[in-house]
Amino acid sequence: MDLLDVFKALSNRTRLEILKGLKDPVNSFPPQDEGDVHTVGVCVSSIQEGVGLSQSTVSDYLATLQRAGLVEATRIGSWTYYKRNEAAISALAEIIGKEL
């Protein structure tokens, strides 16, 4: 895990809000037509509607979070779903507790 990449990803308020929202997706984002948000993840369009930004901006933010290892993406047909990478987030918390 590259801490610099992680902290860069978290340095943007909207990216941080997306990550927080993915912790409780049912209450943070509008309902989606298909897929359980807890197993498959949240569709980009639901995240976009939840944060009120363009699809391209939200997709860019999600790609940044994914590169940092904080979210995982699942592609089903033409849709991409995102959920938190809980193992990476736990590892980050442990690193912060021990090293910073």
Side-chain angles (χ1 to χ4, degrees), residues 59-75:
S59 292
D60 182 55
Y61 285 173
L62 288 164
T64 299
L65 290 168
Q66 186 177 13
R67 279 191 303 275
L70 299 170
V71 299
E72 301 171 319
T74 301
R75 189 144 180 97

Side-chain angles (χ1 to χ4, degrees), residues 36-62:
D36 175 41
V37 294
H38 297 292
T39 55
V40 175
V42 181
C43 180
V44 174
S45 61
S46 291
I47 295 170
Q48 174 194 355
E49 190 176 335
V51 298
L53 296 174
S54 70
Q55 182 178 350
S56 62
T57 299
V58 170
S59 292
D60 182 55
Y61 285 173
L62 288 164

Side-chain angles (χ1 to χ4, degrees), residues 17-26 28-29 37-38 41-42 47 62 65 70-72 82-84 86:
E17 290 300 319
I18 290 170
L19 191 62
K20 285 180 184 178
L22 290 173
K23 186 172 186 173
D24 183 15
V26 172
S28 300
F29 300 110
V37 294
H38 297 292
V42 181
I47 295 170
L62 288 164
L65 290 168
L70 299 170
V71 299
E72 301 171 319
Y82 288 87
K83 63 181 179 178
R84 289 164 47 107
E86 294 297 342

